[in-house]
Amino acid sequence: KINGVLVPPGEVFSFNQTVGDITAATGFKQAYVIKGGRTVLDDGGGVCQDSTTLFRAVLNAGLPVLKRTAHAYRVGYYEQGFPVGLDATVFYPSVDFQFKNDTPGHILIQAYTAGTTLYVDLHGTSDGRVAQISKSQITNQTPAPPELRQDDPTLPKGTIKQVDWAAQGADVSFTRTVTRGGETIIKETWKSNYRPWQAIYLVGTKQ
């Protein structure tokens, strides 16, 4: 749904407006999402991999980011080969990711997969801007709470099912500087506050 989208000069791209309602009725399958302080199965789980990858492309392209929200806790696979703090969650319709095309030409978004890897490419007319992203600074690290085991009468006795995974809490920040022709056009600091998260196991009690 974001592949092939053209963003005209001066226009704002909204992830939620482009993708629309994320439900089984619109073709989305269930996977894990963060909802109500828990990691649960819900329609469209995993969509944040798209918004996160797009966020990173927009950062590196030096485009202005208007709306971005970090995840509630550190998600391990967003840190595979990438610094912590470069994620962007979405939750239709309230939590959106938005950026502006402040270049003189159109920007084409191309999103595709190769194997199990997602790519997002942005194509446009360069105006000479260059983006530099600092290393992530991690402070105020807090340990994950002790694991929690809950009886579940819907699971057969002897079955143990993990539904949440432990993660350290932390404050994370990085800066982005965008220059063009020796002039700084964007200088900003992105901050994320990740909560400590406990591992939760469901223990089957069904006879």
Side-chain angles (χ1 to χ4, degrees), residues 1-198:
K1 292 191 173 187
I2 66 172
N3 181 49
V5 170
L6 273 173
V7 186
E11 293 296 312
V12 173
F13 171 90
S14 162
F15 189 95
N16 284 345
Q17 186 176 333
T18 302
V19 175
D21 195 11
I22 298 173
T23 64
T26 54
F28 289 88
K29 296 183 179 181
Q30 285 203 334
Y32 285 107
V33 303
I34 305 170
K35 189 176 182 180
R38 288 285 303 274
T39 305
V40 297
L41 283 171
D42 202 0
D43 296 341
V47 166
C48 294
Q49 294 177 58
D50 299 86
S51 54
T52 290
T53 308
L54 179 59
F55 174 51
R56 292 169 177 173
V58 169
L59 283 177
N60 284 295
L63 298 168
V65 177
L66 304 185
K67 288 188 179 180
R68 173 261 178 179
T69 303
H71 284 76
Y73 65 88
R74 291 175 66 173
V75 180
Y77 51 77
Y78 291 138
E79 299 176 26
Q80 294 176 2
F82 289 89
V84 58
L86 270 68
D87 61 290
T89 185
V90 288
F91 192 81
Y92 185 88
S94 55
V95 182
D96 199 6
F97 171 74
Q98 296 181 4
F99 74 90
K100 184 177 182 178
N101 175 9
D102 66 342
T103 74
H106 283 69
I107 291 176
L108 170 67
I109 302 173
Q110 287 193 317
Y112 56 96
T113 56
T116 58
T117 302
L118 169 68
Y119 296 89
V120 173
D121 296 339
L122 302 178
H123 298 272
T125 303
S126 173
D127 62 0
R129 71 182 65 191
V130 177
Q132 287 188 314
I133 299 171
S134 73
K135 290 184 177 180
S136 298
Q137 301 296 316
I138 303 173
T139 57
N140 300 325
Q141 291 195 78
T142 52
E147 68 177 46
L148 176 66
R149 292 183 176 251
Q150 298 177 328
D151 289 344
D152 188 333
T154 67
L155 292 175
K157 191 172 183 178
T159 301
I160 298 175
K161 181 180 181 182
Q162 187 171 5
V163 293
D164 256 307
W165 286 260
Q168 284 187 328
D171 291 327
V172 178
S173 65
F174 68 90
T175 60
R176 179 176 71 146
T177 306
V178 182
T179 57
R180 181 176 57 211
E183 177 191 2
T184 299
I185 58 175
I186 298 175
K187 188 171 181 62
E188 60 192 358
T189 299
W190 289 95
K191 297 180 179 180
S192 305
N193 173 251
Y194 299 106
R195 293 159 48 189
W197 212 256
Q198 70 183 157

